[in-house]
Amino acid sequence: MKGMYAHSCGSIPGRGTHGGVKYLKKTINHHNKHDKSAIKYGAVGDVEKCYQSFSHTVIKKQIRKKFRGKLFYWLMESIIDSYYYKIENGEKYGVPIGFPTSQWLCNFILTPIDLKVKNSGVKHFVRYVDDFVFFGRNKKELHKVMAIIKEELTKMGLKLKHIWQVFRYDYIDKKGKRRGRAFDFLGYRFFRDKTILRKRNALTISRQVRKISKAIVVTARTARSMMSRLGALRHCDSLNFYQKNVKPFINIKKLKEVIRIEDRKRNNACVAV
């Protein structure tokens, strides 16, 4: 983690999804109070088929630049060479999705790009594994930064997905109408004055709530899944959604009790063994 960008927040202890959400909300609120023009424009993008496109040669080269130790080289190269997604011109590409090492390798390889972006003058940049967002005062400046990202990715054999965008960030005009666009990132939509769940996530929670309300028996697995999803509501402005779509249909205390009873059974079984 030494030298890693501070706001790279994917698969890193203490810097998960909600770490990124917290930083974005804090940044937006700060500039709303002090300097709204600093977040006048926004940019979003992600790396196309990130895990499948990593060159084994590039990864090994970066590892040898950063670390020392023959045993470590042997271990990492054995892990990297144990899987490939494709072979082109004798070169292997791809790291396995799901390996604990793959998430760290992704952050490790993309860290130089994070630092390039930060040094380009962008003050607020957040990356979650292969997705990223950043703000700026000037649309041309953001396009220049996006060009830097494209260039650096190309050097690594990677490619920026074609759906990247630079746009006018959410604001209220003189007539009181909402204009521009919000950030759709990390499962939330970040407006200038509020943060709400992504529509797809809200629908998923609503459907699962209705399903549980009709069930005769709720299993511990279902209860845990529901509580996990409801945890996302704590990090956004979701009171109205909760009161309308959750509270009338399920009893949170009963779900917690189901989980508690299951945990006691497991603990007793472990003691008996």
Side-chain angles (χ1 to χ4, degrees):
M1 290 178 64
K2 186 178 180 181
M4 189 177 285
Y5 177 57
H7 301 298
S8 170
C9 58
S11 304
I12 300 171
R15 293 196 224 159
T17 301
H18 299 308
V21 171
K22 185 178 178 181
Y23 174 71
L24 273 178
K25 287 171 68 176
K26 184 178 178 181
T27 300
I28 293 167
N29 291 335
H30 173 78
H31 287 294
N32 279 340
K33 293 178 181 177
H34 299 96
D35 186 8
K36 290 185 177 181
S37 63
I39 53 174
K40 186 176 182 180
Y41 294 97
V44 295
D46 65 304
V47 183
E48 185 173 336
K49 295 182 178 179
C50 183
Y51 285 101
Q52 296 97 317
S53 303
F54 280 125
S55 164
H56 286 199
T57 301
V58 171
I59 298 173
K60 292 174 184 177
K61 187 177 179 181
Q62 289 292 98
I63 286 173
R64 288 183 174 270
K65 278 185 178 180
K66 179 76 174 179
F67 303 103
R68 294 289 180 271
K70 292 182 179 179
L71 182 59
F72 181 75
Y73 293 155
W74 170 83
L75 177 62
M76 290 306 302
E77 290 177 4
S78 297
I79 293 170
I80 293 164
D81 290 333
S82 67
Y83 171 91
Y84 62 87
Y85 177 73
K86 62 180 179 180
I87 298 179
E88 288 184 3
N89 300 321
E91 174 63 26
K92 292 181 180 180
Y93 292 87
V95 293
I97 298 174
F99 270 32
T101 51
S102 297
Q103 300 158 357
W104 285 96
L105 286 171
C106 180
N107 284 319
F108 174 65
I109 294 299
L110 296 179
T111 290
I113 298 179
D114 296 339
L115 301 179
K116 279 263 186 181
V117 172
K118 190 65 179 175
N119 293 332
S120 69
V122 172
K123 291 184 178 180
H124 306 293
F125 172 78
V126 183
R127 180 174 61 80
Y128 184 82
V129 190
D130 60 342
D131 296 329
F132 58 85
V133 300
F134 52 93
F135 297 99
R137 297 177 184 273
N138 187 293
K139 190 181 279 190
K140 289 184 179 179
E141 290 177 2
L142 297 189
H143 276 284
K144 288 180 181 178
V145 174
M146 201 63 82
I148 291 171
I149 293 172
K150 283 183 182 179
E151 184 181 348
E152 293 301 313
L153 287 173
T154 301
K155 291 178 183 177
M156 298 178 178
L158 301 172
K159 187 179 179 183
L160 188 66
K161 195 176 285 187
H162 69 280
I163 59 173
W164 66 270
Q165 292 179 334
V166 174
F167 53 87
R168 181 73 158 88
Y169 182 51
D170 172 66
Y171 70 101
I172 306 296
D173 67 11
K174 293 179 180 179
K175 295 181 179 179
K177 290 186 178 181
R178 191 175 290 278
R179 303 288 186 182
R181 283 181 47 202
F183 278 107
D184 192 340
F185 189 59
L186 299 174
Y188 299 89
R189 296 183 68 204
F190 297 87
F191 291 87
R192 195 173 284 269
D193 57 348
K194 63 182 179 180
T195 301
I196 62 174
L197 275 178
R198 185 181 286 168
K199 187 176 181 180
R200 184 173 59 195
N201 294 356
L203 283 172
T204 300
I205 290 173
S206 297
R207 287 168 183 164
Q208 190 169 358
V209 165
R210 302 298 174 91
K211 188 176 179 181
I212 289 174
S213 69
K214 295 175 183 178
I216 299 172
V217 177
V218 178
T219 64
R221 182 177 180 181
T222 301
R224 284 194 179 95
S225 175
M226 188 73 259
M227 293 305 299
S228 176
R229 291 188 185 280
L230 291 178
L233 300 180
R234 298 176 62 185
H235 301 275
C236 63
D237 303 303
S238 58
L239 182 60
N240 290 338
F241 174 82
Y242 176 78
Q243 290 181 338
K244 182 180 178 181
N245 298 286
V246 179
K247 191 175 181 179
F249 302 101
I250 60 174
N251 189 320
I252 301 297
K253 289 184 179 179
K254 287 185 178 180
L255 291 181
K256 289 182 178 179
E257 184 62 26
V258 169
I259 296 169
R260 198 176 295 116
I261 290 170
E262 180 66 19
D263 288 342
R264 284 173 186 166
K265 288 180 181 178
R266 288 188 177 184
N267 291 335
N268 291 336
C270 291
V271 171
V273 170

